[in-house]
Amino acid sequence: MSNSASHLMPIFNRLPVAFAHGNGVRLTDVNGKVYLDALSGIAVNGLGHNHPRLVQALQAQVAQVIHVSNLYDVPQQHELANALAQLSGMDEVFFSNSGAESNEGAIKLARLYGQQQGKKDAKIIVMSEAFHGRTLATLTATGNAKVQKGFEPLVSGFVRVPYNDVEAIKAYADDESVVAVMLEVVQGEGGIRCLNAGVLTEIRALCDAHGWLLILDEVQTGIARTGKWFAHQHENVKPDVMTLAKGLGSGVPVGAILTSGRATGVFPVGAHGTTFGGNPLAMAAGLATVAAIESDGLAANAERQGAAIKRGLNLALKDEVLAGDVRDIRGLGLMIGIELDRPCGELVKLALNEGMLINVTHDTVVRLLPPLVFSDEDSAELVDRLSKLIKNFLNEAP
C-alpha cells in the first residue's frame, strides 16, 4: 500500500489494494475482501493463482537449485525449448527474463541478419498503436507517442505503417534497407485490435518475396491466451522470429525468443546474452505451465470461455451497442476488448470497489484477460457483474 514515507520511485499509479493470497481465479486482499480476477496480472497468471502443479514444481526446484549462470549447461532449458519447438514448429529458443528483453533481442537479431545480408542502416517496419516494451529500442518500436515522450532521441531504424494496412508495407518493397516486419497479431495495449483475416498471410508472402524477417510479438497473445498455443496459428502462418513472456512462467519472470528458417543461427557465440534468463527456477515454472495447459486443455477452454463471454456481453449490452455507447466487443479467446464511446478509466476503480479486477487501455477500451482456468460459472459471473457496471457507468456519465 502506498504511503508518503515510501522510498519507491513513484512510477506506477497504483490502485489502493494489496493482495494477501490467491486461489484459482480469486484474489483476497489484506483485509479479507475477495476479488474475481479478470486481468490475471496482465495476461501472466494463465493458470490462475496457487495452481497445485506450479506450486509443487517451484517448491521442488527451490529445494534443489534456483540459479546457475549460463556459463553452465541448464538441462531444463533443453526440455522447455524442445516443448516450445514442438508446439510452434520453430527451430531454436533463447530464454530471457521479460517481453521487453525478448523484443530487444529480436530487434538486435534482425539488425544482425541485415548486416549479414550486406544491408546497411537496417530498417524494421513496425505498426501504429503497437506496444513492444519500455527499453529504448522497444519503446521506439512502440507506436504510442505518450510512451516515447521525453526519451528522445529515440533509436533510429524504424519506419511505421498503419496496422492492418498491407499496401503501406508494400510501399517499402523497393527499399533495400528494410530487414524485417514486426507486429502483434492482436494489439493488447493498442486496444485489443486484431489483424483482419488474411492480412498475416499477405505479410508473410511479402517477407518471403523480399527476404525480410517476419517478427511476431506474442508476448501477450502467446501461451494459449487466444485459444491456440500462439495467435499466428489461427491463420496457419509461421514467423521467422517469435517473442514470448507473460504467460510462459505463470508469474515467474520468463521470456523467450524463438527462431525459424533463415532467422536461425544469426546470433554467433557472444552476440547476445542474459544473466538470469533461463535459470532453473524459471525453467521449472515454464515446464509446469506448458504441462498444465496441455494436460488440462486450457487452450480449448480459452477459446470456449472467450466466445461465451463475448456472446454474453453482446446480449447483456445489446441496447448499449444499438445506441452506440458500446462501439465494439472484440478479441480472440480470453483476450477481450469492450470499446466504449467515451473515456472509461474510471471503470477500473469502480470494478475494484465491486470486487473485480479489470483493465482499461487506449482510454476507451475495457480490457479483459482472465486466467485460462476460467469456468463456465466464472464467465457467466463476469458477464453479469461487468455488464451491470458498464450500464451504470454509461447512465451516470453520458
Side-chain angles (χ1 to χ4, degrees):
M1 200 74 72
S2 63
N3 64 69
S4 58
S6 174
H7 290 276
L8 283 174
M9 286 188 184
I11 289 175
F12 296 104
N13 189 19
R14 300 176 196 269
L15 292 163
V17 63
F19 296 108
H21 63 271
N23 186 33
V25 302
R26 316 274 168 177
L27 278 166
T28 303
D29 72 16
V30 293
N31 299 312
K33 182 177 176 180
V34 178
Y35 300 77
L36 177 64
D37 186 359
L39 185 59
S40 62
I42 315 182
V44 168
N45 304 109
L47 302 185
H49 303 280
N50 205 20
H51 191 284
R53 187 165 194 157
L54 178 68
V55 171
Q56 184 177 18
L58 292 177
Q59 288 177 334
Q61 190 60 54
V62 165
Q64 295 176 23
V65 59
I66 295 174
H67 175 79
V68 295
S69 167
N70 278 299
L71 294 172
Y72 312 106
D73 192 29
V74 180
Q76 298 95 327
Q77 286 190 15
H78 300 288
E79 193 176 347
L80 184 56
N82 289 345
L84 292 174
Q86 185 173 12
L87 292 167
S88 65
M90 304 293 278
D91 296 327
E92 290 184 346
V93 183
F94 171 86
F95 290 109
S96 64
N97 301 290
S98 68
E101 187 186 352
S102 296
N103 285 333
E104 188 88 10
I107 291 165
K108 285 178 63 180
L109 188 149
R111 288 190 169 195
L112 194 56
Y113 169 80
Q115 290 282 331
Q116 292 169 355
Q117 303 300 308
K119 295 184 176 183
K120 297 180 179 178
D121 301 322
K123 291 178 187 168
I124 299 174
I125 299 174
V126 294
M127 307 293 139
S128 61
E129 311 300 336
F131 185 87
H132 296 298
R134 293 180 185 274
T135 63
L136 200 53
T138 59
L139 76 82
T140 305
T142 291
N144 184 332
K146 290 182 181 177
V147 173
Q148 299 169 340
K149 187 176 181 181
F151 298 107
E152 302 85 354
L154 301 176
V155 176
S156 62
F158 295 94
V159 291
R160 195 171 309 284
V161 300
Y163 193 60
N164 263 318
D165 190 341
V166 178
E167 294 303 315
I169 299 174
K170 287 181 181 176
Y172 287 93
D174 296 328
D175 190 332
E176 294 293 331
S177 61
V178 172
V179 296
V181 178
M182 183 176 188
L183 73 156
E184 303 150 281
V185 180
V186 181
Q187 292 187 328
E189 292 290 329
I192 312 294
R193 297 198 302 160
C194 305
L195 282 181
N196 296 333
V199 166
L200 190 59
T201 301
E202 288 189 73
I203 295 174
R204 173 73 274 178
L206 276 173
C207 289
D208 289 339
H210 300 289
W212 303 337
L213 298 181
L214 175 59
I215 303 172
L216 295 185
D217 176 346
E218 293 243 22
V219 167
Q220 191 166 147
T221 56
I223 313 299
R225 170 58 50 188
T226 69
K228 294 191 181 294
W229 270 102
F230 310 102
H232 65 265
Q233 293 174 334
H234 287 280
E235 199 157 321
N236 198 27
V237 167
K238 190 164 77 171
D240 301 299
V241 182
M242 174 170 67
T243 56
L244 300 173
K246 290 191 178 290
L248 181 54
S250 296
V252 176
V254 191
I257 305 169
L258 288 78
T259 63
S260 177
R262 57 176 173 260
T264 298
V266 170
F267 278 147
V269 172
H272 197 53
T274 178
T275 295
F276 296 105
N279 76 20
L281 185 67
M283 295 300 92
L287 285 166
T289 298
V290 169
I293 291 172
E294 192 84 322
S295 65
D296 296 346
L298 296 183
N301 188 60
E303 187 170 34
R304 184 169 61 251
Q305 299 304 334
I309 292 170
K310 283 189 289 185
R311 188 167 57 246
L313 288 170
N314 271 300
L315 185 62
L317 295 170
K318 62 180 184 301
D319 291 340
E320 288 73 18
V321 172
L322 284 172
D325 297 330
V326 175
R327 288 179 172 168
D328 197 12
I329 299 172
R330 57 180 179 253
L332 269 179
L334 285 174
M335 192 171 179
I336 300 168
I338 308 160
E339 183 174 358
L340 306 187
D341 68 341
R342 67 203 73 176
C344 58
E346 185 183 349
L347 272 170
V348 175
K349 288 185 179 177
L350 295 174
L352 190 72
N353 293 339
E354 295 294 324
M356 281 186 294
L357 303 180
I358 64 170
N359 178 245
V360 166
T361 187
H362 216 59
D363 292 336
T364 58
V365 180
V366 177
R367 178 169 55 168
L368 303 177
L369 301 163
L372 307 180
V373 295
F374 243 47
S375 67
D376 294 350
E377 291 75 20
D378 297 327
S379 294
E381 178 185 341
L382 176 62
V383 168
D384 180 59
R385 295 173 66 183
L386 182 59
S387 60
K388 288 175 181 172
L389 194 72
I390 291 174
K391 283 173 180 279
N392 290 337
F393 170 76
L394 291 172
N395 287 333
E396 293 173 6

